[in-house]
């Protein structure tokens, strides 16, 4: 394996969608070169080299953005998977450290060792206890008990190893922790080259060491489950867990990348290019974030994807309303300004091109008025038409690529919220699996059974509960109650609950249970047992020591506020503001919020959101854009599926939870309407008419306006407008432009156009020629968009009667459209003389 220097430009060779875009642009570039030459031959008075250069520069910028976002999307997905791989494992193993610490103090184990290899009956009873333990904590496949010399005195499995010389014996003697964690070959588990074992010393009541206990974790089984949850269908990615030295200790595809090989352990790089077995891969390595201060053995999450498969463009078609997408695109937290600038630059280039073509046609019209050669003029018009057509094709190609870029980002956002929702619900399922195990196992504690069966040594229960709670810190309190529902002991220092009676429904259900495999969970409700806050309380019956009947129960009060909040925040990116992204857990059956990182959504309240989220089945995920109030959110939701036996089809407890992740999209009241860009009218009357008038058209708001082309001088960019120093903003005079050493006044006639919707997107100044006392003068009119130069038969121009329409109207005539066109809005021709007198 070797790590290569990264040249991101080389990665583009593996991005087929970008290479297709480049190929299409190269073809258009050739067309631009040909049109530039033809334009010179046809005397169109247009130089297309500037437009061509502008498009080429923008191409480079767009390809950079496309490739960068494509790489970012892939690397972001890889980072999430690698990070989750190691963090999920560490979370699980943290629980194991508490298990071994508690189980090593078990009275049954201590007494067995003290009696120095008791009779076969004691051996079988202890083995049954081990079996009972692994029935609750099914993450273990073996429990091994040693005496202090390393002799195996009892174990769950049928392995025949009698003595161990493993170094865990010396490690257990010297450790300052309550556990020893080892992943290696253990001589007492000879059938596995590596096994993950948690071990600790067993002490007599006088603190002398009398033996050692080891729990064998189902490492391969656990990793298989994690890889299955994180692997995508048809993905060529290989997910791995590396040890501290970079050796692969678990692989999602051992045929592709086997265990035992080594990789670079650099976690600081955004990504790496790795050569392995004659193939190049993009790779990412992550160290664990740890959990509750526990970091395990320094393992790393690692993922590799063959380069040729790493940047495949999604085949999914995103159905997103364009107006909603536009609002979200203007959210600078999600879309950088540079992305919007590319789109704006493409529009600007097209506007300049349209203006160039429009002005070219105006000049050709002027030439025709002067009786210059019509054949040359016709050829020039054809070239101008082709230039405009090629410009439109180029713009469409850019628009499609920008759309693909935006959709790539949107798809990544939708994937992200879905992935994070899946992650947080998986964390919850795994966490609550432990809670169901804890209450059932602690209910089997011999001292508890004996105390409640014979009503003796009740005063000792508090110390036991305090010790348990010191190891398992996710509980705010642990309670023992008798069959009359009277609280006998608590782990909390507040003794006020002792002697009081419980009246909750879950106490009746718990006391009716007669099996050690069953448990009961309260509703998520506000309770005085949790400082009048909302929580789940997990319960298990304490059975009579010789009969299958409950003599009491154990209730463990889950610290739901802090623990659920930590689960949600651990699944979100670090240093994220709640205003940008937040998450919540919600009960599916009643839409009740049980945890939220955003205080605007209170615990215990109902989440009002699209109903299809609450129709999700177990293990299903849904991502979409939703509107809550006046805000658009990008939302991911995943429905719980349980973990191992917890909430499985065989579990009597069923309570589906939904995990939601929200990303702020934008304010629905914002308006980035581009409706004026869609305006385009074209009249084609054929060639039957002899006498035609060329009308230069443009748009003011939604109004389609025209001026006889002979009266038009040129269209200028709005940037050339010089605004007056001080004037009423509602006045129609908007400033001046310097045109060919003449000062030209510029007017905004929007106010005079009845029922016009002003788009406030003015781009052009139309310079118009008018006669005044036998001299030609010019005036400028503001326009939002340029239209076509339409050749209209004079018979289709209907003049308006002044005494009917009034002197205040600026219209001169209406153009009757061709028979095959049904227009709701007709082309209105302006009266230049009236405009000049404003």
């Amino acid at each position: 394996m070797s790590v290569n220097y990264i040249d991101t430009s080389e990665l583009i060779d593996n991005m087929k969608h970008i290479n297709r875009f480049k190929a299409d642009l190269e073809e258009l570039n050739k067309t631009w070169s040909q049109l530039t030459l033809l334009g010179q031959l046809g005397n169109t008075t247009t130089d297309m080299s500037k437009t061509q250069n502008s498009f080429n520069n923008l191409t480079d910028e767009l390809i950079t953005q496309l490739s960068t976002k494509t790489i970012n999307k892939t690397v972001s997905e890889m980072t999430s998977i690698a990070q989750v791989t190691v963090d999920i494992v560490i979370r699980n193993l943290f629980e194991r450290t508490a298990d071994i610490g508690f189980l090593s103090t078990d009275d049954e184990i201590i007494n067995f060792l003290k009696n120095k290899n008791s009779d076969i009956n004691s051996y079988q009873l202890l083995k049954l206890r081990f079996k009972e333990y692994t029935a609750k904590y099914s993450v273990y496949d073996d429990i091994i008990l040693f005496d202090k010399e390393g002799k195996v005195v009892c174990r769950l499995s049928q392995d025949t190893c009698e003595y161990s010389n493993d170094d865990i014996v010396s490690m257990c003697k010297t450790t300052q922790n309550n556990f020893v964690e080892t992943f290696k070959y253990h001589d007492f588990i000879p059938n596995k080259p590596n096994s993950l074992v948690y071990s600790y010393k067993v002490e007599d009541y006088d603190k002398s060491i009398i033996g050692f206990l080891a729990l064998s974790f189902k490492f391969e089984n656990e990793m298989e489950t994690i890889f299955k949850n994180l692997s995508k269908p048809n993905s060529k990615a290989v997910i791995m867990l590396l040890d501290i030295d970079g050796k692969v200790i678990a692989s999602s595809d051992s045929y592709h990348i086997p265990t035992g090989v080594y990789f670079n352990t650099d976690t600081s790089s955004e990504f790496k290019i790795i050569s392995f077995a004659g193939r190049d891969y993009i790779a990412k390595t992550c160290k664990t974030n740890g959990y509750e201060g526990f970091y395990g053995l320094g393992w790393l999450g690692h993922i590799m994807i063959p380069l040729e498969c790493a940047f495949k463009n999604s085949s999914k078609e995103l159905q997103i309303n364009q107006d909603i997408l536009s609002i979200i695109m203007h959210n600078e937290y999600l879309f950088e300004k540079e992305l919007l600038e590319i789109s704006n630059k493409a529009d600007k280039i097209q506007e300049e091109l349209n203006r160039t073509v429009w002005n070219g046609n105006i000049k050709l019209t002027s030439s025709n008025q002067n009786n210059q050669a019509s054949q040359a003029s016709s050829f020039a018009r054809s070239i101008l038409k082709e230039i405009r057509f090629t410009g439109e094709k180029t713009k469409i190609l850019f628009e499609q690529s920008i759309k693909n870029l935006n959709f790539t980002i949107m798809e990544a956002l939708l994937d992200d919220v879905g992935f994070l929702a899946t992650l947080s619900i998986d964390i919850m399922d795994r966490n609550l699996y432990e809670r169901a195990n804890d209450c059932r196992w602690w209910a089997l504690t011999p001292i508890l059974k004996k105390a409640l069966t014979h009503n003796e040594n009740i005063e000792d229960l508090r110390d036991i509960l305090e010790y348990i709670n010191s190891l398992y810190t996710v509980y705010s309190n642990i309670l023992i109650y008798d069959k009359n529902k009277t609280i006998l002991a608590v782990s909390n220092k507040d003794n006020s609950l002792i002697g009081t009676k419980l009246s909750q429904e879950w106490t009746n259900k718990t006391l009716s249970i007669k099996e050690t495999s069953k448990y009961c969970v309260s509703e998520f409700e506000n309770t005085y047992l949790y400082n009048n806050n909302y929580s789940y309380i997990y319960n298990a019956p304490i059975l009579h020591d010789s009969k299958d009947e409950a003599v009491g129960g154990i209730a463990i009060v889950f610290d739901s506020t802090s623990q659920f909040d930590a689960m949600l925040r651990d699944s979100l990116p670090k240093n994220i503001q709640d205003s940008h992204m937040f998450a919540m857990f919600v009960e599916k059956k009643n839409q009740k919020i049980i945890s939220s990182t955003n205080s605007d959504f209170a615990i215990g309240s109902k989440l009002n959101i699209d109903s299809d989220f609450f129709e999700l089945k177990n293990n299903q995920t849904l991502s979409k854009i939703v509107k809550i109030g006046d805000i658009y959110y990008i939302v991911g939701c995943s429905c719980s599926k349980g973990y191992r036996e917890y909430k499985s089809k065989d579990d009597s407890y069923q309570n589906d939870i939904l995990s939601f992740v929200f990303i702020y999209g934008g304010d629905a009241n914002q308006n980035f309407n581009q409706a004026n860009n869609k305006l385009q009218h074209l009249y084609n009357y054929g060639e039957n008419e002899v006498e035609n008038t060329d009308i230069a058209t443009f748009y003011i708001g939604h109004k389609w306006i025209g001026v006889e082309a002979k009266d038009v001088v040129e269209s200028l960019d709005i940037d050339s407008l010089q605004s007056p120093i001080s004037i009423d903003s509602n006045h129609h005079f908007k400033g001046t432009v310097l045109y060919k050493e003449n000062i030209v006044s510029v007017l905004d006639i929007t106010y005079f156009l009845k029922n016009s919707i002003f788009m406030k997107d003015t781009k052009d100044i139309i310079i118009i020629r008018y006669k005044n006392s036998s001299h030609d003068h010019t005036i400028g009119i503001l326009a939002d968009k340029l239209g076509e130069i339409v050749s209209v038969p004079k018979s289709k121009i209907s003049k308006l009667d002044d005494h009917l329409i009034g002197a205040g109207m600026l219209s001169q005539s209406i153009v009757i459209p061709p028979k095959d066109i049904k227009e709701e809005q007709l082309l209105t021709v302006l009266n230049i003389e009236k405009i000049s007198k404003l």
Side-chain angles (χ1 to χ4, degrees):
M1 180 275 299
S2 63
V3 179
N4 298 335
Y5 169 76
I6 299 172
D7 180 2
T8 54
S9 63
E10 292 180 8
L11 298 181
I12 296 177
D13 293 338
N14 296 285
M15 302 176 191
K16 293 180 180 178
H17 60 295
I18 294 180
N19 290 321
R20 283 195 298 268
F21 171 63
K22 287 173 67 177
D24 290 341
L25 277 174
E26 284 170 6
E27 286 299 313
L28 281 172
N29 205 27
K30 292 176 185 176
T31 304
W32 279 118
S33 298
Q34 293 169 356
L35 288 172
T36 299
L37 178 60
L38 289 172
Q40 293 168 353
L41 294 173
N43 193 28
T44 59
T45 70
T46 57
D47 181 7
M48 302 316 303
S49 58
K50 181 182 176 182
T51 301
Q52 186 177 7
N53 289 335
S54 297
F55 273 123
N56 287 340
N57 292 335
L58 194 58
T59 297
D60 294 338
E61 196 174 334
L62 181 54
I63 287 174
T64 298
Q65 285 289 345
L66 283 169
S67 58
T68 300
K69 296 306 174 188
T70 300
I71 293 170
N72 288 350
K73 180 176 182 290
T74 297
V75 172
S76 176
E77 290 173 356
M78 293 175 67
T79 302
S80 295
I81 291 171
Q83 191 68 63
V84 169
T85 298
V86 65
D87 283 348
I88 283 286
V89 172
I90 293 302
R91 272 181 165 272
N92 191 321
L93 302 186
F94 168 76
E95 300 280 355
R96 313 291 65 90
T97 64
D99 291 347
I100 187 64
F102 180 66
L103 191 58
S104 63
T105 64
D106 187 84
D107 286 332
E108 301 280 324
I109 292 174
I110 294 171
N111 291 330
F112 183 84
L113 287 171
K114 284 178 67 175
N115 293 332
K116 294 195 182 288
N117 303 337
S118 305
D119 57 29
I120 188 67
N121 186 51
S122 298
Y123 174 84
Q124 292 297 337
L125 286 174
L126 185 59
K127 193 167 182 178
L128 283 174
R129 186 157 177 77
F130 287 170
K131 187 175 182 180
E132 183 85 63
Y133 186 85
T134 55
K136 310 292 184 293
Y137 297 91
S138 57
V139 294
Y140 300 112
D141 56 17
D142 203 0
I143 302 177
I144 308 101
L145 182 64
F146 308 89
D147 66 13
K148 62 182 179 180
E149 279 79 37
K151 179 184 177 181
V152 177
V153 294
C154 187
R155 77 183 300 164
L156 179 62
S157 75
Q158 300 301 317
D159 202 293
T160 57
C161 175
E162 295 183 2
Y163 280 91
S164 173
N165 295 312
D166 203 281
D167 56 4
I168 67 164
V169 173
S170 60
M171 294 169 70
C172 286
K173 288 179 180 178
T174 59
T175 183
Q176 299 300 308
N177 297 317
N178 291 327
F179 65 94
V180 170
E181 182 184 28
T182 49
F183 181 79
K184 62 185 187 65
Y185 173 76
H186 297 90
D187 62 4
F188 54 90
I189 310 177
N191 60 326
K192 292 183 180 181
N194 290 296
S195 52
L196 180 58
V197 171
Y198 290 84
S199 50
Y200 196 56
K201 60 191 175 188
V202 179
E203 296 178 327
D204 199 349
Y205 301 115
D206 63 1
K207 298 299 181 181
S208 62
I209 297 175
I210 57 176
F212 305 94
L213 183 68
L215 300 176
S216 175
F217 182 72
K218 292 179 180 177
F219 178 71
E220 293 85 358
N221 172 264
E222 179 64 16
M223 294 311 303
E224 184 180 338
T225 301
I226 291 172
F227 291 149
K228 183 179 178 181
N229 290 340
L230 292 176
S231 297
K232 294 183 178 181
N234 305 316
S235 172
K236 299 297 187 294
V238 184
I239 312 168
M240 288 156 276
L241 196 64
L242 311 182
D243 69 11
I244 196 169
D245 298 318
K247 183 172 76 172
V248 178
I249 58 176
S251 171
S252 64
D253 187 349
S254 57
Y255 292 103
H256 192 160
I257 300 179
T259 56
V261 301
Y262 285 81
F263 290 106
N264 183 284
T265 58
D266 171 34
T267 59
S268 61
S269 300
E270 186 181 3
F271 63 93
K272 297 169 283 190
I273 302 299
I274 289 177
S275 293
F276 174 75
R279 199 176 188 185
D280 288 338
Y281 295 79
I282 183 171
K284 176 63 184 175
T285 310
C286 294
K287 61 183 177 182
T288 181
N289 290 314
Y291 181 63
E292 299 287 344
F294 174 71
Y295 292 88
L297 297 171
W299 291 347
L300 305 168
H302 186 71
I303 183 171
M304 290 165 54
I305 307 176
L307 270 184
E308 68 270 20
C309 306
F311 306 111
K312 287 185 176 179
N313 208 24
S314 174
S315 57
K316 286 192 296 187
E317 244 340 291
L318 292 181
Q319 301 296 327
I320 303 176
N321 178 281
Q322 192 60 43
D323 291 336
I324 297 175
L325 180 61
S326 182
I327 289 171
I328 295 174
M329 280 172 55
H330 282 78
N331 181 345
E332 291 182 14
Y333 177 74
L334 304 177
F335 288 76
E336 295 99 329
K337 279 184 177 180
E338 290 79 4
L339 296 179
L340 287 174
E341 283 303 309
I342 289 178
S343 184
N344 293 337
K345 286 177 183 177
D347 287 340
K348 187 70 175 176
I349 293 170
Q350 185 62 39
E351 288 163 15
E352 290 173 356
L353 177 64
N354 289 345
R355 189 177 299 111
T356 299
V357 173
W358 200 82
N359 287 334
N361 279 309
I362 291 294
K363 287 186 174 70
L364 289 174
T365 299
S366 177
S367 298
N368 287 343
Q369 293 290 326
N370 295 327
N371 297 317
Q372 296 182 11
S374 61
Q375 189 173 356
S377 174
S378 178
F379 176 65
R381 281 187 188 277
S382 297
I383 294 173
L384 288 171
K385 185 176 180 181
E386 190 61 33
I387 288 172
R388 183 162 188 167
F389 175 70
T390 304
E392 290 291 344
K393 281 176 63 178
T394 307
K395 185 170 182 290
I396 289 170
L397 184 58
F398 269 89
E399 285 176 346
Q400 188 59 49
S401 296
I402 292 169
K403 180 181 177 183
N404 291 341
L405 176 58
N406 292 333
F407 275 18
T408 296
I409 298 171
M410 277 304 307
E411 183 184 30
L413 291 169
L414 289 165
D415 286 347
D416 283 349
V417 290
F419 180 82
L420 294 175
T422 303
L423 170 60
S424 57
I425 202 65
D426 189 39
I427 291 173
M428 173 190 259
D429 281 339
R430 287 166 172 271
N431 190 296
L432 298 186
Y433 157 85
E434 305 289 348
R435 311 300 59 96
N437 294 341
D438 290 347
C439 67
R440 290 181 296 164
W441 177 249
W442 298 340
L444 295 175
T445 304
I447 292 178
L448 299 184
K449 290 168 67 76
K450 187 177 180 181
L452 269 69
T453 298
H454 303 289
N455 194 27
E456 60 183 29
N457 299 322
I458 300 298
E459 64 277 3
D460 295 336
L461 300 183
R462 179 188 178 88
D463 290 339
I464 296 171
L465 297 185
E466 277 189 2
Y467 175 67
I468 294 173
N469 212 163
S470 70
L471 290 174
Y472 297 83
T473 56
V474 297
Y475 303 111
S476 70
N477 206 354
I478 304 174
L479 300 82
I480 299 293
Y481 53 93
D482 64 17
K483 62 184 177 182
N484 297 316
K485 309 178 196 174
T486 301
I487 297 176
L488 303 177
V490 297
S491 65
N492 205 305
K493 292 184 179 180
D494 182 4
N495 292 321
S496 62
L497 290 173
I498 295 176
T500 63
K501 271 201 167 189
L502 297 167
S503 59
Q504 292 86 345
E505 183 185 357
W506 44 263
T507 55
N508 294 326
K509 290 181 179 178
T510 302
L511 293 171
S512 68
I513 296 173
K514 299 181 179 181
E515 301 173 56
T516 60
S517 62
K518 303 296 183 184
Y519 62 101
C520 175
V521 185
S522 72
E523 293 293 322
F524 187 76
E525 56 192 7
N526 193 293
T527 173
Y528 67 91
L529 297 174
Y530 187 52
N531 298 320
N532 293 316
N533 292 315
Y534 284 88
S535 183
Y536 289 116
I537 299 175
Y538 282 73
N539 295 262
I542 299 173
L543 299 180
H544 193 284
D545 61 6
S546 60
K547 294 186 288 186
D548 291 335
E549 66 177 44
V551 291
I554 183 168
I556 54 180
V557 184
F558 186 56
D559 186 8
S560 64
T561 300
S562 62
Q563 291 299 317
F564 284 153
D565 185 75
M567 294 176 204
L568 291 172
R569 293 190 185 279
D570 283 353
S571 67
L572 297 178
K574 304 305 176 191
N575 303 318
I576 202 85
Q577 293 183 23
D578 289 350
S579 59
H580 291 313
M581 180 184 284
F582 59 93
M584 64 180 73
F585 289 132
V586 180
E587 284 190 326
K588 179 181 171 182
K589 62 186 178 184
N590 53 21
Q591 300 180 218
K592 182 191 288 184
I593 297 172
I594 64 175
S595 183
S596 173
T597 62
N598 186 331
S599 58
D600 290 339
F601 296 85
I603 295 173
S605 63
K606 183 178 180 180
L607 176 63
N608 293 309
I609 199 171
D610 298 1
S611 61
D612 48 356
F613 289 114
F614 298 96
E615 295 168 3
L616 289 174
K617 305 296 184 185
N618 296 128
N619 203 28
Q620 287 186 338
T621 300
L622 173 64
S623 298
K624 59 186 286 191
I625 297 171
V626 300
K627 184 182 177 185
I628 300 179
D630 290 330
I631 303 297
Y632 285 116
Y633 293 99
I634 303 163
V635 181
C637 177
S638 187
C639 183
S640 60
K641 63 178 182 299
Y643 174 65
R644 295 186 181 270
E645 300 79 21
Y646 177 67
K647 289 188 182 179
S648 70
K649 62 181 180 180
D650 298 323
D651 192 348
S652 59
Y653 176 60
Q654 299 293 328
N655 181 25
D656 291 339
I657 305 295
L658 299 175
S659 173
F660 286 87
V661 174
F662 295 77
I663 294 179
Y664 172 79
D667 188 338
N669 294 319
Q670 295 178 98
N671 183 13
F672 302 104
N673 198 334
Q674 300 295 317
N676 61 327
N677 287 336
K678 301 174 184 177
L679 296 173
Q680 194 63 49
H681 300 80
L682 180 62
Y683 286 176
N684 189 352
Y685 292 92
E687 299 179 0
N688 295 327
E689 298 284 345
V690 177
E691 242 184 312
N692 287 357
T693 298
D694 288 339
I695 297 178
T697 71
F698 50 92
Y699 295 89
I700 299 177
H702 284 154
K703 287 281 188 180
W704 191 25
I705 305 297
V707 176
E708 289 193 28
K710 64 180 178 58
D711 295 326
V712 177
V713 179
E714 190 173 350
S715 173
L716 304 179
D717 192 319
I718 187 64
D719 292 343
S720 58
L721 177 66
Q722 298 293 316
S723 299
I725 295 174
S726 176
I727 198 169
D728 180 4
S729 61
N730 294 320
H731 197 277
H732 56 272
F733 175 70
K734 293 302 178 185
T736 59
V737 293
L738 181 63
Y739 180 71
K740 292 185 179 180
E741 300 183 356
N742 291 313
I743 300 298
V744 180
S745 297
V746 178
L747 308 179
D748 178 5
I749 63 171
T750 305
Y751 173 78
F752 301 96
L753 302 175
K754 302 301 181 183
N755 304 318
S756 178
I757 303 173
F758 187 41
M759 304 304 298
K760 295 184 180 178
D761 195 21
T762 305
K763 297 183 176 68
D764 290 270
I765 302 170
I766 312 297
I767 304 296
I768 298 172
R769 182 188 300 109
Y770 69 95
K771 281 190 177 292
N772 185 358
S773 303
S774 74
H775 294 289
D776 283 348
H777 290 268
T778 51
I779 195 170
I781 297 175
L782 293 181
D784 293 329
K785 183 182 177 182
L786 297 174
E788 298 284 341
I789 309 296
V790 183
S791 185
V792 181
K794 288 190 175 181
S795 60
K796 298 295 183 181
I797 300 175
S798 178
K799 188 172 176 57
L800 298 174
D801 198 328
D802 276 351
H803 77 272
L804 291 177
I805 63 173
M809 295 294 289
L810 301 181
S811 305
Q812 173 178 289
S813 54
I814 298 293
V815 176
I816 301 169
K819 292 180 180 179
D820 60 336
I821 293 180
K822 292 184 178 179
E823 291 284 356
E824 292 183 5
Q825 185 177 179
L826 300 177
L827 173 58
T828 302
V829 180
L830 294 178
N831 188 316
I832 304 302
E833 185 181 349
K834 286 186 178 180
I835 292 174
S836 68
K837 295 177 181 178
L838 289 177

